[in-house]
Amino acid sequence: MSIQFDRLFQHSPNAYMVLDRQMRFVEVNHAYELLTGLSRVQLLGRALFDVFPGATNDDGSPQADVLRSSLERAFATGERDVLALIPYAIESDTPEGRIVDVRYWSATHTPLRDDDGNVVAVMQHTTDVTEVHRLREEVRRAREATGLTAEQMSEGVLSRAAAVQRDNARLSARQAFLTDLFEQAPGFMAVLRGPDNVFDLANEAYERLIGRRDFIGVPLREVLPELREQGFFELLDQVRETGNPFVGRGMPVILRDAGGEERTLFVDFIYQPVRDSHGRIEGIFVQGADVTGREAALSALRESEGRFRTIANLVPQMVWSARGNGEIDYCNQRWYDFTGLPEGATRGHEWDEPLHPDDRDRAWALWRRSLATGEPYDIEYRMRFHTGEYRWVLGRALPIRDASGLIVRWMGTCTDIQDQKRVQEMLERSQDALRAADRQKDHFLAMLAHELRNPLAPIATAAQLLKMAPDSVQNVLQASEIIDRQAIHMGNLVEDLMDVSRVTRGLTSLKRRRVRLSEIVDAAIEQTMPLMTRRGHRFSLADRTHGVELWADRSRLTQILSNLLNNAAKYTPPNGTVALEIERQASDVLLRVRDNGVGIEPELLSRVFELFAQAESTPERHEGGLGIGLALARSLTRLHGGSLTAHSAGAGEGSTFELRLPVEVPPGLDDDALE
């Protein structure tokens, strides 16, 4: 309706202009342009007294003072101020040049208020009464000069009266035009007069709205009694009492037709107070529009949005949407529950705040590509959980296009895939472990074949010696020693394999008794010393336990220690050093085997106690073995309630193995054979 009032303002035959508090032109109508000879563009934004400074009166006072005072009174008091007659010079450009014409004006200054009732502008209604004033002055002067009566002078003023009549006709035509415009306006309009809100005017749209006609002069309460208890009568009283307009948007109103059937409409409207020349409220202007269709659409939209939000909050994923330009405008509750951020914190272009810093550039690059090409968005990245940890998330989005194919929205989801990632990593590790185990198996089989083949060659040679000289005592003794030695070696290999099988299947049990640690140490050294002697190693023993006794399986504990000493001897080059240190630490004893051999690389150190794990064979290390000694040693150590660890600074830096055993039997151990 603002457009319609603007047309009324612009097409009014009366000259109107609006000034702000700085006395600058805010608006002028066409009649004002014609009256002043200046266009709207030339006037808007300029100060009134810069454009029209006025002249000086005969008494020497500036003409502008009277006009300025009237405007200031309207601003200060908030009441209408009227200048019945004021001379004021208007400068204008003519074909003969710029002229100054002193004309007489009648001006009404009406304050305009904002929604809070503050005067923000003044509207001036200006009427050029120069001709009327001059006619009156001519009549006065003629009377004084000639002494003629009014009747005698009437003939001289008939022409001027005819002009005034023509102006009145034009004014009537303009009023008729404005009345037609009021009637044909698409929005409903009415004017209510007096405290009883009597209908003074109402257009056709208002009649259609209420379904009634011929109610001009009838109070509102009689025309629409169904408005009782709906609050509209009270709103009218409030506007009349306060002088402040009331604006209602989408307000429901229940109306009753001629048959008594009720219908509910929704309207946008304004109750604007109408003031008389003294500023008193004499009526209320009602203007508005039926927005039932709009409100129904909005209600359907809100219902649809409510369903969407409910569904979005029920699904386990984080749901979000973005405008066509990629600006996030919605995230469901699960998003905020996941991130712990306050609602709205990641809208707009701030959605990357919870992303892992290492993933942001990649996520942005892929998002920009999707925005540019319309391709679906699909990415895995890490997002900060509300606990502070980063979890893997699968982000996906699809475009929504309008009828012309233009992308108007993106709908996306984020799914927590941390558990899937963990399972995937476990599967990958399992696959790697299986592949490693497979390689270890192949390596073990090759080593086993090699280790079994080694003793077979000497046995075969001994058999040939016996065939060549079966009666030679020397040959028989020599062949017997070879066969016996190699059979023992093969027996040890088989026994190691059986030990590993029993331990891994949980079939091994310990036969514990109280044993002297020194006896275990002596037995292990005795088993290992031949190898150390052959390789020229220097062996040292430092026992600071002084006769400690353990609850242990003598043979198994000897096996553990001999495996450690054998391992040190195998991986220490000839003429190296092997040391055994024993000390008491609280309720444990610690046996430390040191060597200055080939050392253990970091990659092998992490799996040195695994089955079949061995360092690469070297020319210095040719004593054989299946790579199960350390694995067997650790398993037997754990059965004793102890621990076995390995340390090395790296290749060529030697190795240290620490065997820690409890002096007493730890509680909870399987001790069926304890003696």
Side-chain angles (χ1 to χ4, degrees):
M1 290 306 300
S2 61
I3 295 177
Q4 300 300 327
F5 276 108
D6 182 66
R7 291 181 60 186
L8 289 173
F9 179 81
Q10 289 296 335
H11 289 86
S12 173
N14 299 315
Y16 287 95
M17 63 89 164
V18 180
L19 299 176
D20 62 14
R21 283 189 168 274
Q22 284 70 44
M23 303 294 181
R24 295 175 302 200
F25 285 97
V26 175
E27 188 58 272
V28 300
N29 70 349
H30 185 59
Y32 192 89
E33 292 177 289
L34 295 176
L35 187 66
T36 61
L38 296 177
S39 69
R40 182 172 179 270
V41 174
Q42 291 175 296
L43 293 172
L44 294 187
R46 298 182 61 188
L48 169 66
F49 296 108
D50 289 343
V51 180
F52 302 117
T56 303
N57 294 318
D58 294 338
D59 60 359
S61 62
Q63 293 177 344
D65 285 355
V66 176
L67 179 58
R68 190 191 305 274
S69 297
S70 176
L71 290 168
E72 289 175 349
R73 282 195 300 273
F75 275 114
T77 64
E79 296 180 356
R80 185 178 299 158
D81 193 88
V82 179
L83 294 176
L85 185 67
I86 176 176
Y88 208 94
I90 298 295
E91 295 183 11
S92 59
D93 294 321
T94 68
E96 292 75 27
R98 190 168 186 80
I99 63 172
V100 178
D101 184 18
V102 177
R103 304 190 67 80
Y104 292 85
W105 311 89
S106 175
T108 301
H109 296 142
T110 303
L112 301 180
R113 301 173 183 270
D114 60 15
D115 292 341
D116 297 326
N118 301 316
V119 178
V120 295
V122 167
M123 180 175 68
Q124 182 190 78
H125 171 212
T126 307
T127 303
D128 187 350
V129 295
T130 303
E131 296 300 325
V132 175
H133 178 73
R134 288 176 179 173
L135 178 62
R136 185 173 58 187
E137 286 298 309
E138 288 178 9
V139 170
R140 183 183 60 78
R141 286 196 298 269
R143 283 179 177 177
E144 292 175 351
T146 64
L148 296 175
T149 65
E151 291 79 4
Q152 293 173 323
M153 297 185 63
S154 61
E155 184 176 343
V157 300
L158 285 178
S159 59
R160 297 186 181 278
V164 171
Q165 183 66 29
R166 287 193 297 272
D167 288 342
N168 288 338
R170 286 195 297 269
L171 178 60
S172 297
R174 286 292 184 183
Q175 289 175 337
F177 171 77
L178 293 177
T179 300
D180 291 342
L181 193 63
F182 177 83
E183 286 292 337
Q184 299 173 23
F188 61 81
M189 297 181 185
V191 176
L192 305 175
R193 296 286 183 181
D196 293 331
N197 297 314
V198 176
F199 279 98
D200 191 32
L201 290 173
N203 69 348
E204 186 176 348
Y206 194 95
E207 293 175 347
R208 287 197 305 270
L209 178 76
I210 67 174
R212 293 172 175 80
R213 293 181 176 275
D214 301 327
F215 50 81
I216 301 301
V218 181
L220 176 64
R221 290 180 182 270
E222 297 181 17
V223 177
L224 298 173
E226 61 267 31
L227 295 185
R228 190 184 306 274
E229 307 300 332
Q230 294 188 47
F232 292 97
F233 297 148
E234 291 77 7
L235 287 176
L236 288 167
D237 293 340
Q238 173 185 313
V239 171
R240 183 173 289 101
E241 292 170 3
T242 64
N244 297 324
F246 176 84
V247 178
R249 299 193 182 277
M251 292 187 65
V253 55
I254 300 174
L255 299 177
R256 190 178 300 118
D257 61 19
E261 184 176 352
E262 291 185 345
R263 55 194 174 98
T264 300
L265 304 176
F266 292 87
V267 293
D268 287 348
F269 68 94
I270 182 171
Y271 287 162
Q272 178 71 43
V274 178
R275 300 177 183 272
D276 61 16
S277 59
H278 300 289
R280 293 186 296 267
I281 296 175
E282 60 180 2
I284 295 177
F285 176 63
V286 180
Q287 184 269 329
D290 183 353
V291 294
T292 304
R294 184 196 72 189
E295 290 299 315
L298 289 175
S299 177
L301 179 62
R302 285 190 291 268
E303 182 179 354
S304 175
E305 183 178 352
R307 287 197 300 266
F308 166 76
R309 290 180 181 273
T310 300
I311 294 173
N313 286 328
L314 285 175
V315 297
Q317 286 86 6
M318 293 167 271
V319 179
W320 53 272
S321 69
R323 298 186 177 92
N325 62 357
E327 184 178 342
I328 303 295
D329 60 358
Y330 170 75
C331 294
N332 72 343
Q333 188 58 45
R334 290 193 180 274
W335 171 281
Y336 298 109
D337 292 342
F338 183 94
T339 61
L341 295 171
E343 185 171 350
T346 52
R347 291 186 181 178
H349 293 292
E350 305 300 324
W351 56 268
D352 64 342
E353 193 276 333
L355 294 189
H356 193 287
D358 294 342
D359 296 338
R360 288 177 185 168
D361 291 343
R362 180 171 56 90
W364 265 110
L366 192 58
W367 181 231
R368 283 192 291 265
R369 177 182 173 184
S370 294
L371 293 177
T373 64
E375 296 177 0
Y377 184 65
D378 197 316
I379 187 175
E380 292 182 2
Y381 47 66
R382 288 161 292 179
M383 185 183 294
R384 189 177 62 245
F385 197 49
H386 64 82
T387 60
E389 68 170 317
Y390 282 94
R391 297 176 65 88
W392 279 101
V393 167
L394 172 63
R396 286 177 173 169
L398 292 174
I400 298 176
R401 302 176 184 270
D402 61 13
S404 65
L406 181 68
I407 296 176
V408 295
R409 180 161 294 281
W410 289 83
M411 293 301 301
T413 61
C414 291
T415 306
D416 185 350
I417 58 172
Q418 181 69 18
D419 293 338
Q420 294 93 311
K421 275 284 187 180
R422 187 178 294 112
V423 171
Q424 180 182 348
E425 291 172 359
M426 291 173 62
L427 288 175
E428 291 175 354
R429 287 197 296 268
S430 297
Q431 290 174 352
D432 291 341
L434 287 174
R435 285 191 289 267
D438 191 55
R439 289 192 299 269
Q440 288 181 349
K441 177 201 68 177
D442 293 340
H443 183 60
F444 166 71
L445 291 176
M447 291 175 56
L448 179 59
H450 176 74
E451 293 293 337
L452 292 176
R453 186 179 60 185
N454 284 343
L456 288 177
I459 291 174
T461 301
Q464 291 296 325
L465 288 174
L466 290 175
K467 288 180 181 180
M468 292 171 59
D471 297 330
S472 173
V473 176
Q474 183 63 33
N475 286 345
V476 171
L477 291 175
Q478 184 180 359
S480 298
E481 290 176 357
I482 292 173
I483 293 171
D484 183 61
R485 186 168 57 250
Q486 298 304 327
I488 292 173
H489 178 60
M490 292 182 68
N492 290 336
L493 291 176
V494 173
E495 185 62 30
D496 283 347
L497 289 173
M498 293 181 65
D499 272 346
V500 169
S501 175
R502 286 192 293 266
V503 170
T504 55
R505 289 184 296 161
L507 301 178
T508 300
S509 61
L510 301 180
K511 297 180 179 179
R512 294 178 187 268
R513 64 190 60 172
R514 187 167 294 280
V515 297
R516 280 186 177 274
L517 179 59
S518 59
E519 295 176 358
I520 303 294
V521 172
D522 291 342
I525 293 174
E526 182 180 355
Q527 292 181 18
T528 315
M529 191 53 66
L531 176 58
M532 292 187 185
T533 301
R534 282 200 311 272
R535 297 179 64 80
H537 293 328
R538 295 182 298 278
F539 176 75
S540 62
L541 172 64
D543 186 356
R544 294 185 287 274
T545 57
H546 307 295
V548 168
E549 292 185 346
L550 306 175
W551 283 99
D553 187 315
R554 178 190 296 272
S555 62
R556 291 302 189 182
L557 197 52
T558 302
Q559 185 180 4
I560 295 171
L561 187 54
S562 63
N563 274 343
L564 295 179
L565 293 172
N566 263 311
N567 187 74
K570 288 179 183 179
Y571 288 96
T572 299
N575 303 316
T577 299
V578 178
L580 174 59
E581 302 169 357
I582 308 172
E583 62 183 64
R584 179 76 180 263
Q585 291 187 351
S587 60
D588 298 334
V589 290
L590 179 64
L591 295 87
R592 187 180 294 112
V593 178
R594 298 180 183 272
D595 66 64
N596 63 347
V598 298
I600 307 174
E601 294 181 353
E603 189 276 333
L604 180 61
L605 187 62
S606 62
R607 55 186 184 87
V608 71
F609 292 109
E610 295 177 3
L611 279 173
F612 318 130
Q614 279 189 328
E616 295 296 325
S617 297
T618 63
E620 293 78 9
R621 190 229 144 208
H622 54 271
E623 296 299 329
L626 299 177
I628 61 178
L630 291 179
L632 183 59
R634 186 174 64 170
S635 297
L636 293 174
T637 299
R638 287 176 173 172
L639 287 176
H640 281 84
S643 64
L644 180 59
T645 57
H647 309 277
S648 176
E653 298 296 329
S655 306
T656 300
F657 287 83
E658 293 186 348
L659 172 63
R660 185 179 296 275
L661 295 168
V663 175
E664 302 296 334
V665 179
L669 283 182
D670 182 10
D671 201 25
D672 295 337
L674 185 62
E675 297 182 3

